[in-house]
Amino acid sequence: MTTGDEGYEWVSREDPRVTEVRLLRETGKTGEIAGTPADNLLIHGDSYQALHALTRIPEYAEEYRGKVRLVYIDPPFNTGQAFQHYDDALEHSVWLTMMRDRLLLIRELLAPGGSVWVHLDDAEMAYCRVLMDEIFGRGNFVGTIVWQKIHARNNSAQHVSAVHDYLLVYARSKNDLVFNRIDRTELSDQEFWNPDNDPRGPWRRSDLTASHAYEDGRYEVTGPHGDVFAPRGNRWWSVSRETFEALREDDRLWWGKTGRTFPFRKRFQSELGGLVPTTFWTHDEVGDNRQAKGEVTRLFDRSRIFSTPKPEALLKRVIQIASNPGDVVMDAFAGSGTTAAVAHKMKRRWVTTELLEETVETFTRPRLEKVVSGDDPGGVTKAVRWGGGGGFKSLHVAPSAYDVVDGRVFFADWVKGTDFAQIVAAQLGFKYVGLSAGPFCARRGRARLAVIDGVVDDVVARGVLAQLDEGERAVLVGRGIAPEAESLLREFSPGSRALKAPRDLASRGRVVR
């Protein structure tokens, strides 16, 4: 778990400070927002606690659990280097544990047709691949993207000059995954021509044979000048005779300029649409480290240089492939805010979290404010025709509600009033509605929650039960529970119960459900 100085401390998985559901406190808003959990969210705090809150607090879980289309994360690479904005030197087993905890929550957040893209280098890529096989299943592995992050050789490297990173891509459910194609490029369209002046425009040749046996793939065809053609050796026609003749009728066959060569199929540029993504992305396609640093420098100034940014073109491609406008895009290691900035410009909804307050205040928030106001002319702004608009809400992950002293669990001093009620509702999975409507502050189905900042005795219990509608039951939570209150609940409202806080909320280090 994270400590007060934004470092890490090893504690038991059963520690209530780990298993508790932290509150997400609103700290500000930028631009136009609806004021609901569906707003774009910039969350300051530990990514595990933020993701945990999004999956457990009912108001947020309804909006995000099982509904996130794309998660891109660029976690600390664990290279042993000391970056200015990250302590990128976690011990190997600690790093894997940190990643496992977050990936398990990401799996809960992903939609059935969603995907997660994890950006790494050689330090942990292979180990993370095994970890993701365990969490998402080997059958949901989609591919490994190699990104050319540097296009200049480092001739002072001891052994080899590393010029690439990896993006491990996994689906939540590969059977439900549908990727978009990427934009065509001038290079990809070089092979199109139109020597026969076909009115449908440029086309390229496509092989009509296949190396695998095809039931209807053995037959002869006659060319324009009476020449007879058939696949040779271990080749078959890839289409049936009927399809072949239909292509001939529609002038979709090319017999060469003389009309006597082996036939090819004409594939028209206007009909092909985008390109299927490959697994190797070059710097001239999606940018490199130098371009990324230049984008951040132009946004701010050279006195504020983020050490490990990613180019906007790289994120544009990821977002274009794996999501559509209106989908939720998430990044649990915001850094300079590239993912959220590009997602915003591409009209996706977004959620991003960042641990370090200095990074949030120096880079992430100012960058996203520029995107909203239309004062960010760089990156992919022109390519996607972005002119500003929208907004986002800023949230802060609340500190732990618990203090643990000699193995005993106590509430922290700040846990009182509204905070106390919200914390109890979050731990028990109740949807918080406020303290103004009678004794009940939250509900879950037919169950109503009453939080008493004191002792629940028989008088309090009778008063709460009197407010229940027919078929409802109550959960009463207080700092103390009188025996007569428990007896009264059992007698007059079977199914209702009384819980002592924090004992029954953090019993044996596990949150009561």
Side-chain angles (χ1 to χ4, degrees):
M1 60 175 273
T2 54
T3 58
D5 58 0
E6 297 180 322
Y8 287 89
E9 174 188 352
W10 185 269
V11 298
S12 167
R13 288 184 179 274
E14 303 298 300
D15 191 298
R17 294 168 297 179
V18 174
T19 58
E20 71 174 307
V21 181
R22 302 282 184 94
L23 299 183
L24 297 177
R25 293 171 166 169
E26 183 175 337
T27 57
K29 50 189 177 183
T30 299
E32 299 177 0
I33 62 173
T36 71
D39 292 324
N40 296 323
L41 304 178
L42 168 59
I43 306 174
H44 167 220
D46 177 64
S47 55
Y48 173 83
Q49 299 296 349
L51 295 171
H52 193 224
L54 293 174
T55 61
R56 297 296 185 268
I57 297 176
E59 300 91 307
Y60 291 99
E62 290 175 5
E63 193 63 43
Y64 297 107
R65 191 171 186 177
K67 297 181 181 180
V68 175
R69 181 65 55 179
L70 164 65
V71 177
Y72 167 90
I73 57 174
D74 179 18
F77 285 0
N78 205 19
T79 58
Q81 302 177 45
F83 291 113
Q84 179 181 357
H85 303 287
Y86 286 106
D87 179 10
D88 193 14
L90 295 175
E91 196 273 336
H92 173 69
S93 62
V94 176
W95 186 90
L96 285 174
T97 300
M98 182 270 290
M99 289 296 296
R100 184 179 187 276
D101 290 344
R102 285 149 183 79
L103 287 169
L104 285 169
L105 291 170
I106 286 170
R107 186 183 64 182
E108 291 188 51
L109 289 163
L110 280 176
S115 60
V116 54
W117 301 55
V118 180
H119 192 136
L120 297 165
D121 68 2
D122 278 312
E124 295 288 359
M125 186 278 288
Y127 304 99
C128 192
R129 167 82 189 267
V130 175
L131 176 64
M132 295 182 76
D133 279 346
E134 172 196 336
I135 293 172
F136 294 95
R138 293 186 66 179
N140 286 317
F141 172 69
V142 177
T144 301
I145 307 296
V146 177
W147 169 50
Q148 186 186 20
K149 65 179 179 180
I150 300 171
H151 67 281
R153 186 188 312 272
N154 177 11
N155 223 33
S156 62
Q158 183 177 4
H159 298 112
V160 294
S161 176
V163 297
H164 69 274
D165 281 347
Y166 305 94
L167 283 81
L168 297 176
V169 186
Y170 279 76
R172 180 65 180 88
S173 171
K174 202 171 180 180
N175 291 335
D176 298 310
L177 183 67
V178 178
F179 275 169
N180 299 316
R181 298 194 171 199
I182 62 174
D183 297 333
R184 305 193 69 85
T185 66
E186 183 177 343
L187 179 64
S188 70
D189 289 348
Q190 284 182 349
E191 59 186 8
F192 287 91
W193 65 340
N194 195 4
D196 57 348
N197 294 315
D198 194 303
R200 289 165 289 194
W203 52 269
R204 64 173 173 80
R205 301 188 312 174
S206 177
D207 192 358
L208 274 166
T209 68
S211 60
H212 59 276
Y214 178 55
E215 184 178 356
D216 297 326
R218 289 293 191 189
Y219 54 88
E220 293 182 341
V221 299
T222 303
H225 300 293
D227 304 284
V228 177
F229 299 95
R232 296 180 180 179
N234 295 322
R235 304 289 295 183
W236 286 260
W237 294 111
S238 60
V239 298
S240 66
R241 182 186 292 274
E242 291 75 13
T243 300
F244 187 96
E245 294 304 325
L247 293 171
R248 186 203 298 266
E249 183 68 22
D250 197 27
D251 191 21
R252 289 177 180 268
L253 297 179
W254 174 247
W255 304 86
K257 293 182 178 180
T258 64
R260 292 183 176 276
T261 63
F262 197 89
F264 287 87
R265 183 173 185 169
K266 294 161 65 174
R267 297 279 189 180
F268 292 94
Q269 184 179 17
S270 60
E271 298 174 352
L272 289 177
L275 302 172
V276 173
T278 69
T279 56
F280 180 61
W281 297 358
T282 61
H283 72 93
D284 55 340
E285 294 178 282
V286 296
D288 57 16
N289 283 346
R290 179 180 296 179
Q291 179 177 325
K293 291 183 179 181
E295 289 171 353
V296 175
T297 300
R298 284 189 292 273
L299 276 174
F300 304 107
D301 55 62
R302 293 193 176 276
S303 65
R304 292 185 290 173
I305 299 177
F306 192 80
S307 299
T308 58
K310 300 300 178 288
E312 289 200 5
L314 174 66
L315 270 301
K316 175 180 178 291
R317 174 167 289 189
V318 173
I319 292 169
Q320 178 182 352
I321 291 170
S323 69
N324 296 301
D327 285 341
V328 179
V329 174
M330 185 173 288
D331 184 349
F333 299 89
S336 64
T338 306
T339 305
V342 177
H344 197 105
K345 294 177 185 180
M346 296 178 71
K347 300 180 180 178
R348 273 65 166 173
R349 294 167 51 204
W350 54 265
V351 176
T352 194
T353 72
E354 171 56 40
L355 172 63
L356 301 178
E357 182 176 8
E358 179 187 0
T359 299
V360 172
E361 298 304 325
T362 305
F363 296 100
T364 323
R365 181 180 291 111
R367 181 178 193 169
L368 294 173
E369 289 172 345
K370 288 177 180 288
V371 171
V372 170
S373 64
D375 294 327
D376 172 15
V380 301
T381 296
K382 291 183 179 179
V384 301
R385 300 178 181 177
W386 176 251
F392 63 92
K393 184 188 302 179
S394 296
L395 303 175
H396 181 263
V397 178
S400 175
Y402 301 124
D403 288 331
V404 179
V405 180
D406 296 329
R408 299 180 63 190
V409 180
F410 302 91
F411 274 131
D413 291 340
W414 62 269
V415 179
K416 59 188 67 174
T418 300
D419 286 330
F420 181 37
Q422 288 182 319
I423 286 167
V424 172
Q427 310 317 306
L428 299 178
F430 278 74
K431 189 171 184 178
Y432 186 74
V433 297
L435 293 173
S436 60
F440 302 112
C441 66
R443 75 164 55 242
R444 186 182 61 199
R446 298 291 292 173
R448 308 286 294 276
L449 175 66
V451 178
I452 311 300
D453 202 352
V455 176
V456 177
D457 57 19
D458 61 331
V459 176
V460 171
R462 289 182 189 277
V464 170
L465 294 179
Q467 300 296 315
L468 288 176
D469 291 334
E470 185 176 355
E472 291 183 334
R473 55 189 176 86
V475 176
L476 284 74
V477 178
R479 295 182 185 262
I481 306 295
E484 58 268 23
E486 295 179 314
S487 301
L488 188 145
L489 290 174
R490 286 194 298 269
E491 180 179 356
F492 293 101
S493 184
S496 293
R497 56 177 175 158
L499 301 175
K500 181 179 179 180
R503 181 196 66 191
D504 295 332
L505 301 181
S507 178
R508 298 182 302 280
R510 291 188 292 275
V511 175
V512 176
R513 294 289 176 210

